[in-house]
Each structure stands twice: as C-alpha cells, then as structure tokens.
Amino acid sequence: MKILLVGNGGREHAIAEALIRSSHKPDLYVFANKVNPGIKALSKRYYAGTDLSDFEELKHFVDEVRPDFAFVGPDNPIADGIVDLLESFGVPSVAPAQAPARLESSKYFTRELLEKHFIPGNPRFRQFDSEGGVMSFLQELGDDYVVKADGLAFGKGVKVSGDHLRNHEEALKFVRECLGGGQSSVVIEEKLYGVEFSLMAFADGRHLAFMPVVQDHKRAYEGDEGPNTGGMGSYSDVNHSMPFLTDQELDQAKQISQAVLLAVREETGQEFKGILYGGFMACRDGVKLIEYNARFGDPEAMNVLPILETDFVEVCQAVIKGTLDELEVRFAPKATVCLYVVPEGYPDDSMAHEPLEIGEMPDGVQLFYSSVNEEGGEIMTSGSRSLGIVGIGDSIEEARLRAVDGVDQVKGKIFYRKDIGSLDLLNKRIQMMEKLRAARL
Ligand code: AMP
Ligand code: GLY
C-alpha cells in the first residue's frame, strides 16, 4: 500500500508515525517543501519541492508514485484545491475538497452556514466588503468586538478588542488593511468570553468519529502572556474531555459539528471528508463556535494520534469510503501533554541556525520534529517551532512530568512553556468556568 503524505511539520510527523504503525505496513511517499528528518526517516521517498501548492510538481510526483490515497496535513494546499486535483488523478484523499473546505478558508461562509441552518453557536456577526457600515456596527458591539479577515491569513487575520485593538479607529484601520491587502471581505463579530478547546473529528461526509478534546496554548509565554504563536503546546485528559467542561457542554460542541457536517453537504453538494476541527469556547451561555479548520491542529494532532488504538489506515479508508459508522474508533484512556520546544526569541526574533542536541527520550515520551534543518548530521533550529515533545500518562500531571523529562533531553538555545498542563493553569480554567456558569440566567 502506498500513501502520499503532504506536509512537513510536527503535525505531519505525528500523522506519519500513526500511519507507519498500521498493520497494513504502508509505504509513505512524502510531498513536502522542506526536509523534516523525522518524517524522512519513516518514508520510502521524500520529495522536498518549492511549494505545497505547486501542483505541477505534485502532478509529476503522483504520476510516478501512483498512491492508493493521500493524506493532506496543512490548510493552504487544501484551500487551494489539492484534493480536487488528486481526485482528478484518481487518488482519493483524507482531506476535504475545496468547496467543503471553505469551512476553514472563509470565516463568513461558516458563520452564514450556521445561521442559515439554525445551528447554535454563532456570536453576533456581520460581513463587510467595504468600510461602509463598519463604524456603526462597531458602535453597536461597544467594547467587545473581533475583526477577522475572511480568508486564510497565516494566523495574522484575527484581531480582538482589548488584546490587539484598543478602539474602534484601530479596528477600522485593520478593516482597511485587510480589504487593501487582498481580502475580499472581513467579518466583524462580538467578542466572546470563556475557555477555548479544540474538538477534532474524523469525518466521512456524513458521520463523525470524535477524538479526545485538546486545549492548545497560543500565547508565547507562561500565564498566556506575550505574542500569538502557532501554538506552544497542548494537553488532553484521560476521560477525553477537559477538566473544566461538563458533559453537557461537550455534547453541545459535538452536536454543532454534526449539524455543520450535514449542512456543508447540503450547501456545497459535496461531502466533507477528512478532519473536522472545531475551535470552541465554553461561555456563560453555553458553547460557542470560534472557527472551523479543515485539517488536524498542530500541536493537537500530536496529542491524539499517539493514543489512537484503532488502525489509522483503516480509519483513513473508512473516511474515504463513507463507512466511519461501521468502525469503532478508539483512543487509549490516557492523558497527554505536548510541549513545543521553540528557539529563543520565538516568534518575533527567533534564534535560527542554532544547533540542537537531542538525547534519548524516556519511556512514555514521543518526540516529533517540526521546523528544524539537518546540516552535516546536526539538527539546527529554524525561525519556527522546533520539536513537539509529548508525554503520555495516567493523569495530566503524570503526562506533563514525562514531557518535561523529554524536554530536559534537548540542549540548545531554546525555551518552552512550563505551565502547559500544570495544576495551577487547570485550576484557573476550572474556576473561570465555575464563575461563568454561576452567572448563567
Ligand atoms: P481564529 O483564527 O478564528 O481561531 O481566531 C484566533 C483566536 O482569536 C482564537 O483562538 C480566539 O482566541 C480569538 N477569537 C476569535 N474569535 C473570537 C471571538 N468571537 N471572541 C473572542 N475571541 C475570539
Ligand atoms: N493549534 C491551532 C491550529 O492548528 O490551528
């Protein structure tokens, strides 16, 4: 069996590792834009081209390899239509086609979909394709507003009042920047208060198989301070929920995703196949939707894939065939903590081209390579996140201590967030939710 894997980050290393574990013993053919030493070591062939959305290069690679199916990791090639292209070569994908993938590539598409299909979870929102009406809507929202570029914007497309925007004038300026910078529209919405969590599911077009809930940490420094990053680390719990979530809240999120899956099919005439990743916020008035992604989260994939007990290749085949309802997708009852090791100065002023010395990982710890370069047998940092280190245990605390032991094996000009998965941080989230629930009507 031949599997084409597109992408080269920590997320894709976790995907590669889970595929290789399969009893089907697949050969991995990787289409990447730089070499990830961890993925390369697992692959039969590794093609490092120029750009994941360079479909000419991809076409040649696929012509030679003739894979049985493809797994596409990152958002950009999905939004650019890689799945439709692969389909035209007769290669099915574990990733959605361009039209259903609009769930991620257009914020407005998703907000409107929820509204049109009476799916709960939207904050108040409006779309603007010019400045007209922006100020009056901001005034309606008062102090709590979020401005979002409609399309993908490399994580720079969302600004939140209080965090990045001090007043309506700054919000209007950001609207202008988006519209002048190639975005066809912006969405302005009410700012929500609560605790965020990621709920990912395998989707076969009609059925979902949910994965353990994960909480990511986007800010660079401890205590959720500092600039936003791609994600500094994440944890999941033994019961596959979160210590701060009630069963009812988790169910609300699941119901939103299930309804969205069917609504997307109705709206686009195409089925969403792949990974449906809901970014939710548990709020005073229940669970709200922040956004959908049409792919695995990075780091979240590194939490869930190492504890996936069902054969991953069989899960992929069920996604493609539309038979997820016939397969039991099981995860081990374990907690996980993923700590991202990043270069000193990350994200604004990363110490790139610095050597990393990586020792043996202890038992219960997995190492995933992210953005590093191998030069003359040495592993070097780049400008981005270097290594994802995942501890697995019978409690979040045990998993965290293991992950920390793993990080201790790495020497170099690096740092990581020591508070991820800590009892202190968990208690803060639990207390915040208790306060919000107490304020419920
Ligand atoms: P997104 O790209 O939509 O996930 O937005 C990035 C981040 O902005 C999210 O992880 C949230 O922390 C924040 N955010 C987005 N929308 C809202 C909202 N309506 N209320 C509060 N925070 C938000
Ligand atoms: N962990 C956030 C993301 O993958 O978008």
Side-chain angles (χ1 to χ4, degrees):
M1 176 184 289
K2 296 180 187 175
I3 303 176
L4 170 69
L5 173 62
V6 179
N8 46 255
R11 163 181 55 208
E12 286 77 21
H13 189 183
I15 294 169
E17 191 275 334
L19 289 170
I20 286 293
R21 258 194 285 135
S22 163
S23 64
H24 295 267
K25 307 237 166 300
D27 287 326
L28 282 190
Y29 292 80
V30 182
F31 186 75
N33 62 10
K34 63 183 270 195
V35 174
N36 176 316
I39 303 177
K40 191 166 184 191
L42 299 174
S43 64
K44 180 103 173 170
R45 257 186 75 192
Y46 194 104
Y47 180 86
T50 48
D51 183 344
L52 297 182
S53 294
D54 185 330
F55 294 159
E56 272 309 306
E57 283 183 33
L58 177 74
K59 192 172 174 307
H60 290 303
F61 192 59
V62 170
D63 265 346
E64 274 174 46
V65 172
R66 299 261 131 227
D68 293 283
F69 70 86
F71 202 114
V72 187
D75 48 358
N76 282 94
I78 295 175
D80 291 338
I82 195 172
V83 171
D84 310 64
L85 184 86
L86 288 167
E87 189 69 44
S88 74
F89 302 152
V91 179
S93 296
V94 185
Q98 197 170 26
R102 292 192 72 205
L103 269 185
E104 173 163 10
S105 63
S106 168
K107 309 265 188 206
Y108 179 59
F109 173 81
T110 301
R111 291 283 181 229
E112 196 193 30
L113 188 80
L114 264 71
E115 183 167 86
K116 193 167 158 195
H117 292 260
F118 304 103
I119 302 168
N122 264 348
R124 272 208 288 166
F125 75 99
R126 264 182 65 185
Q127 181 206 31
F128 297 91
D129 54 19
S130 72
E131 279 175 43
V134 165
M135 264 305 181
S136 69
F137 189 57
L138 286 168
Q139 275 153 12
E140 248 179 72
L141 293 177
D143 290 333
D144 295 321
Y145 47 90
V146 180
V147 182
K148 299 183 171 185
D150 181 52
L152 295 183
F154 300 100
K156 305 261 180 255
V158 176
K159 292 202 175 186
V160 180
S161 65
D163 288 349
H164 327 90
L165 299 171
R166 278 173 302 183
N167 51 47
H168 293 166
E169 282 66 37
E170 285 188 6
L172 183 65
K173 190 165 158 256
F174 182 55
V175 169
R176 284 194 192 120
E177 270 168 39
C178 290
L179 295 177
Q183 293 285 339
S184 58
S185 70
V186 297
V187 172
I188 300 183
E189 61 190 39
E190 175 194 351
K191 176 179 176 180
L192 301 165
Y193 288 89
V195 185
E196 284 181 67
F197 61 96
S198 309
L199 177 63
M200 303 184 290
F202 297 105
D204 73 356
R206 284 175 302 149
H207 316 101
L208 292 177
F210 288 100
M211 305 184 209
V213 182
V214 181
Q215 189 177 47
D216 184 19
H217 298 71
K218 290 213 162 103
R219 298 301 193 98
Y221 312 138
E222 271 140 50
D224 292 327
E225 304 278 344
N228 265 328
T229 71
M232 288 295 290
S234 45
Y235 65 90
S236 72
D237 204 352
V238 178
N239 66 359
H240 301 162
S241 183
M242 286 276 119
F244 54 83
L245 270 189
T246 62
D247 289 351
Q248 198 199 0
E249 285 161 343
L250 179 54
D251 269 353
Q252 280 177 19
K254 288 183 176 175
Q255 280 167 21
I256 293 172
S257 286
Q258 187 62 58
V260 161
L261 184 70
L262 300 182
V264 153
R265 183 163 169 249
E266 210 178 301
E267 201 60 40
T268 65
Q270 279 179 276
E271 292 189 330
F272 184 107
K273 286 173 184 276
I275 311 300
L276 181 65
Y277 162 157
F280 293 98
M281 193 184 270
C283 300
R284 196 187 74 169
D285 308 319
V287 170
K288 303 282 182 189
L289 177 72
I290 296 290
E291 63 159 0
Y292 272 109
N293 294 316
R295 52 169 175 85
F296 266 117
D298 186 346
E300 289 94 328
M302 293 186 275
N303 295 90
V304 298
L305 287 172
I307 59 166
L308 175 64
E309 288 183 338
T310 309
D311 192 304
F312 192 29
V313 167
E314 287 170 21
V315 178
C316 293
Q317 288 170 329
V319 164
I320 291 166
K321 279 195 258 160
T323 55
L324 264 182
D325 56 327
E326 294 165 23
L327 184 72
E328 195 200 346
V329 179
R330 274 180 293 104
F331 291 85
K334 294 280 182 191
T336 66
V337 171
C338 175
L339 301 174
Y340 246 126
V341 171
V342 303
E344 274 178 23
Y346 175 78
D348 297 327
D349 197 13
S350 290
M351 300 273 279
H353 312 295
E354 292 289 337
L356 291 177
E357 216 181 287
I358 305 169
E360 192 77 16
M361 288 296 129
D363 280 349
V365 181
Q366 286 201 25
L367 167 74
F368 296 108
Y369 287 88
S370 184
S371 202
V372 290
N373 296 310
E374 201 168 359
E375 290 167 23
E378 256 194 316
I379 300 287
M380 313 289 278
T381 61
S382 76
S384 195
R385 297 175 294 180
S386 311
L387 308 167
I389 295 183
V390 182
I392 299 170
D394 290 319
S395 65
I396 296 174
E397 184 59 9
E398 190 179 274
R400 188 182 72 81
L401 291 172
R402 290 203 167 135
V404 169
D405 284 346
V407 175
D408 284 343
Q409 295 301 310
V410 182
K411 305 278 176 269
K413 293 196 166 134
I414 47 153
F415 77 99
Y416 72 101
R417 262 185 70 167
K418 297 187 176 61
D419 60 343
I420 292 171
S422 69
L423 291 173
D424 220 33
L425 210 68
L426 296 183
N427 281 330
K428 270 194 202 137
R429 312 260 197 260
I430 292 168
Q431 279 161 16
M432 170 145 179
M433 277 320 297
E434 280 171 356
K435 231 165 87 185
L436 286 173
R437 285 186 204 111
R440 264 178 205 167
L441 299 177

